[in-house]
């Protein structure tokens, strides 16, 4: 494998932070809403994942739309760029939160809930960076977004 064609760690970290921002917003909002509405843990996790995808795609689309792309094309770029990244991040993120005893049931006023959420996002970030690096190095994932960012 020729590493010269690969993505830099900085690029991978930037792409992952971008994804993490959307995921974190959706994740926290989902956990807050799920807890506030007294939803079951499974429903809360599903809501969090759905919102993570919405905000993750939304942030990518915002950047791509600025380059003058239409909504449908921007959505396709976001789908190509972020689906794997968000999926990996959410899988890890929710697995960690659910695995920490009592974290899901701790409630929004609990330090355990917020520490578990912060830890889960940190673990998800660390796992997702190499995934993004590998994908960008092959012209996949966030490489699709960067192809449209040169218009600025």
């Amino acid at each position: 494998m020729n590493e010269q064609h690969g993505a830099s760690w900085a690029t991978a970290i930037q792409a992952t932070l971008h994804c993490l921002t959307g995921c974190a917003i959706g994740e926290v909002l989902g956990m807050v809403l799920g807890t506030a509405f007294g939803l079951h843990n499974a429903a809360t996790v599903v809501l969090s994942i759905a919102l993570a995808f919405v905000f993750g795609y939304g942030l990518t689309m915002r950047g791509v739309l600025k380059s003058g792309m239409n909504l449908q094309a921007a959505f396709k770029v976001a789908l190509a760029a972020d689906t794997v990244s968000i999926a990996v991040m959410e899988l890890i993120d929710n697995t960690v939160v659910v695995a920490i005893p009592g974290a899901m049931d701790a409630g929004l006023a609990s330090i355990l809930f917020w520490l578990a959420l912060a830890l889960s996002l940190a673990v998800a970030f660390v796992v997702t960076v190499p995934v993004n690096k590998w994908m960008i190095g092959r012209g996949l994932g966030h490489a699709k977004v960067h192809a449209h960012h040169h218009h600025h």
Side-chain angles (χ1 to χ4, degrees):
M1 298 243 174
N2 188 345
E3 199 51 44
Q4 287 169 332
H5 294 296
S8 71
W9 283 106
T11 303
I13 288 168
Q14 184 188 8
T16 308
L17 279 172
H18 179 102
C19 173
L20 182 69
T21 305
C23 286
I25 295 168
E27 189 70 32
V28 171
L29 197 59
M31 292 288 174
V32 168
L33 290 173
T35 305
F37 291 126
L39 300 177
H40 283 285
N41 290 352
T44 301
V45 167
V46 169
L47 179 64
S48 293
I49 292 170
L51 289 171
F53 274 98
V54 168
F55 284 98
Y57 289 146
L59 288 175
T60 296
M61 284 176 64
R62 195 185 67 184
V64 177
L65 287 168
K66 280 186 194 165
S67 72
M69 192 178 279
N70 71 36
L71 199 61
Q72 188 181 358
F75 183 68
K76 284 181 182 167
V77 169
L79 226 58
D82 291 337
T83 302
V84 172
S85 190
I86 296 172
V88 169
M89 194 164 275
E90 287 305 295
L91 177 72
I92 304 296
D93 183 349
N94 286 293
T95 301
V96 172
V97 170
V98 172
I100 296 172
M104 288 289 292
D105 301 314
L108 300 178
S110 158
I111 195 80
L112 173 64
F113 173 83
W114 293 106
L115 283 175
L117 195 55
L119 175 70
S120 71
L121 289 167
V123 171
F125 177 78
V126 170
V127 172
T128 309
V129 168
V131 173
N132 278 333
K133 183 180 188 303
W134 184 86
M135 286 178 60
I136 295 165
R138 279 148 191 78
L140 304 168
H142 254 256
K144 307 263 186 223
V145 174
H146 293 292
H148 300 287
H149 273 283
H150 301 301
H151 299 291
H152 296 304

